[in-house]
Amino acid sequence: MKVFHSSRHLLHFPKGELHDGEMVLPFERPSRMEYVLERLRLRGFDDVGDPSDFDPLAVNRVHDAGYLEFLETAWAQWTAAGHKGDIIPTSFPVRRTQQMRAPKDVDGKAGYYAAAAETAITSGTWEAVKSSCASAQSAQRHVAQGARTAFALCRPPGHHAGIDWFGGYCFINNAAVAAEMFLQDGAQKVAVLDVDFHHGNGTQDIFYRRGDVLFVSLHGQPEDAFPHFLGYADETGEGAGEGANLNLPMPPGTAYPSWAEALDIGLRAIRDFGAEALVISLGVDAFKDDPISFFKLESQDFTDCGRRIGKLGLPTVFCMEGGYAIDAIGINTVNVLEGFEEA
């Protein structure tokens, strides 16, 4: 399995994260990738390479132009305004019940485009974001050219990035970009399967009114888990997208037997949809010891998860998302990949 990864992710390392009412070391930090890379090497995944250059074409098709301009220019605006430290949003539009517009002030603009206050922007964030997306793009090209699968070891992750918002450590939605690229290459239907503990609210936002991408998400029920405001089972899509959104929320304490039942429901939906290609938002924070999740999957369960996905027999791109039990992230991630290759 070809793996695409860029060391430029190191350019994004916020000084802290707002958690439990205090600033802590970010859960989403560079060392996560080192544990995954170490495990990949240990298990014989030696074909690890840098991605090709970032291509904005598909990105512009899934994200708002003003939002992308903000990400690209935010740090320059922030420093020019005399601000110190990382960009952390402090004001937010309230439910957008009226027509609201992005302000000129960079502090207000950050809040306008933000979904949560735990996600900071630093001097190197935009370059890291582009390299992360480039990994997903390179993985998609590799599969589109005939490979069965590829793994994009993306950092920052992407599935919480909506059409015009960042949050949950995410800025560009890498999985959505890969799905869009399959469509541009001629696929009529593509599926995105999100197995991260947290609902892929950004991916849902992007495809909710489209019928060419089926979005399936297994996650902690939103009344109890971030990102809270989307992810209910009755959210099934709108307009052309009606029936192309499947949320499978589960309660605290969910263990693998119940989780696997939900996975099988999602896999059947993908078969019935007639997907020609598959993108996996690969978060491994459903693990029992993850510090910001409440499912109870064991490490060996991730192998079975990968095996079940592999039996679909679809051209598949894996995009790295969450997983914050640092000591186990490499084991759990590679277990999914090994299970997939066994199928």
Side-chain angles (χ1 to χ4, degrees):
M1 182 184 297
K2 178 72 174 178
V3 178
F4 293 93
H5 172 68
S6 172
S7 62
R8 293 184 68 78
H9 78 92
L10 295 167
L11 295 171
H12 174 69
F13 192 5
K15 297 180 180 68
E17 172 184 339
L18 184 61
H19 177 75
D20 271 351
E22 59 184 353
M23 295 300 291
V24 300
L25 180 70
F27 291 103
E28 201 295 290
R29 52 187 181 266
S31 58
R32 297 172 63 245
M33 299 298 97
E34 298 309 313
Y35 282 90
V36 178
L37 288 167
E38 180 182 1
R39 185 66 177 181
L40 286 167
R41 289 190 290 265
L42 180 64
R43 300 296 293 177
F45 289 79
D46 299 321
D47 193 3
V48 181
D50 290 330
S52 54
D53 291 341
F54 170 76
D55 181 357
L57 182 61
V59 179
N60 288 325
R61 294 183 66 88
V62 300
H63 286 296
D64 172 75
Y67 168 65
L68 293 172
E69 181 184 16
F70 163 73
L71 290 180
E72 184 174 5
T73 62
W75 188 256
Q77 294 182 55
W78 182 255
T79 54
H83 296 297
K84 299 178 181 179
D86 297 338
I87 304 175
I88 300 176
T90 58
S91 60
F92 300 88
V94 180
R95 299 186 184 90
R96 297 194 180 184
T97 54
Q98 302 173 19
Q99 185 63 37
M100 296 186 181
R101 305 172 188 177
K104 291 182 179 180
D105 175 69
V106 65
D107 188 32
K109 193 178 294 184
Y112 179 83
Y113 288 120
E118 87 292 83
T119 303
I121 295 175
T122 74
S123 61
T125 295
W126 178 239
E127 291 302 317
V129 166
K130 288 192 296 181
S131 73
S132 179
C133 184
S135 293
Q137 292 177 320
S138 294
Q140 186 278 334
R141 293 188 195 101
H142 185 68
V143 173
Q145 291 166 4
R148 181 192 180 208
T149 188
F151 175 39
L153 183 51
C154 299
R155 181 181 178 272
H159 73 146
H160 293 307
I163 293 172
D164 64 348
W165 78 60
F166 69 95
Y169 316 130
C170 302
F171 301 91
I172 285 179
N173 195 309
N174 303 310
V177 170
E180 182 66 31
M181 290 175 67
F182 276 121
L183 294 169
Q184 295 305 301
D185 286 340
Q188 298 300 305
K189 291 184 176 182
V190 178
V192 178
L193 172 62
D194 192 326
V195 296
D196 190 282
F197 166 81
H198 302 94
H199 177 246
N201 58 328
T203 313
Q204 175 170 310
D205 180 56
I206 289 168
F207 294 121
Y208 200 65
R209 294 167 183 83
R210 292 175 51 171
D212 50 359
V213 176
L214 172 68
F215 177 57
V216 178
S217 180
L218 286 68
H219 52 271
Q221 58 192 24
E223 54 263 50
D224 294 312
F226 181 92
H228 297 297
F229 308 112
L230 291 175
Y232 291 90
D234 60 359
E235 298 162 6
T236 58
E238 291 181 359
E242 178 60 46
N245 195 88
L246 176 60
N247 286 326
L248 297 162
M250 288 167 275
T254 295
Y256 190 65
S258 296
W259 193 92
E261 288 180 10
L263 176 62
D264 286 344
I265 292 170
L267 296 176
R268 284 196 297 271
I270 292 168
R271 291 190 190 96
D272 293 343
F273 182 68
E276 300 159 61
L278 177 64
V279 180
I280 306 294
S281 276
L282 180 55
V284 293
D285 43 1
F287 182 56
K288 63 178 182 178
D289 294 328
D290 196 276
I292 54 174
S293 309
F294 55 58
F295 287 169
K296 300 300 180 183
L297 273 62
E298 305 279 351
S299 288
Q300 64 266 24
D301 297 331
F302 291 97
T303 305
D304 186 65
C305 167
R307 191 179 299 117
R308 291 176 190 234
I309 294 170
K311 288 179 180 177
L312 281 176
L314 291 172
T316 302
V317 170
F318 289 90
C319 293
M320 191 72 205
E321 302 285 3
Y324 309 102
I326 298 294
D327 292 343
I329 186 175
I331 295 170
N332 296 337
T333 299
V334 176
N335 280 2
V336 175
L337 304 181
E338 289 184 327
F340 181 90
E341 290 198 323
E342 290 172 8

